[in-house]
Amino acid sequence: MSLRSKIVVGFASLSPVIASAGYLDDVATTFKKVIATVLPAFIGLAIIGFAYGLFVYLKGGAEDKEKGKTLIFWGGLSIVVLISLYGIAGLLQTLTGATGTIINVPSVVTGLHQ
């Protein structure tokens, strides 16, 4: 059996599992839990990395300034990508018609009280 045939048979055998609504609900619930717990921690680490890069850039010599620039760039990029995941999760929720809230943004951040 060729690799292509194995892939087709594999996906065909999974189609009943994927089609069941209970399975999709379980996947959405798991996705929600992972995003809600892990993403804020990674955003915090990215902010700490950005702040450390800024500190190194401001207080360091010529060699440290390059290291600081690199940390600032990657820290800032990480923050943008991680926060974009919130938007992607909301878009997926809208496109799939999922009920409930996938991402709970704290009301302190948004200024909205629920």
Side-chain angles (χ1 to χ4, degrees), residues 7-113:
I7 292 172
V8 169
V9 169
F11 278 119
S13 66
L14 289 176
S15 62
V17 173
I18 294 171
S20 73
Y23 178 75
L24 292 177
D25 287 342
D26 291 343
V27 169
T29 302
T30 303
F31 181 69
K32 175 183 175 180
K33 288 179 183 177
V34 169
I35 293 291
T37 57
V38 173
L39 195 60
F42 283 141
I43 291 173
L45 289 174
I47 290 171
I48 290 170
F50 180 83
Y52 177 71
L54 189 61
F55 178 77
V56 168
Y57 180 78
L58 293 175
K59 296 295 181 183
E63 184 178 304
D64 289 335
K65 286 195 184 287
E66 284 302 315
K67 181 181 175 185
K69 283 182 188 179
T70 303
L71 287 170
I72 290 170
F73 173 76
W74 288 109
L77 183 64
S78 299
I79 293 168
V80 169
V81 168
L82 290 170
I83 291 177
S84 297
L85 287 177
Y86 278 115
I88 292 170
L91 178 65
L92 288 175
Q93 180 183 5
T94 302
L95 291 176
T96 59
T99 58
T101 304
I102 290 178
I103 301 298
N104 293 323
V105 179
S107 61
V108 174
V109 175
T110 61
L112 302 174
H113 298 286

Side-chain angles (χ1 to χ4, degrees), residues 1-11:
M1 187 181 273
S2 70
L3 178 62
R4 176 183 257 170
S5 299
K6 289 179 183 179
I7 292 172
V8 169
V9 169
F11 278 119

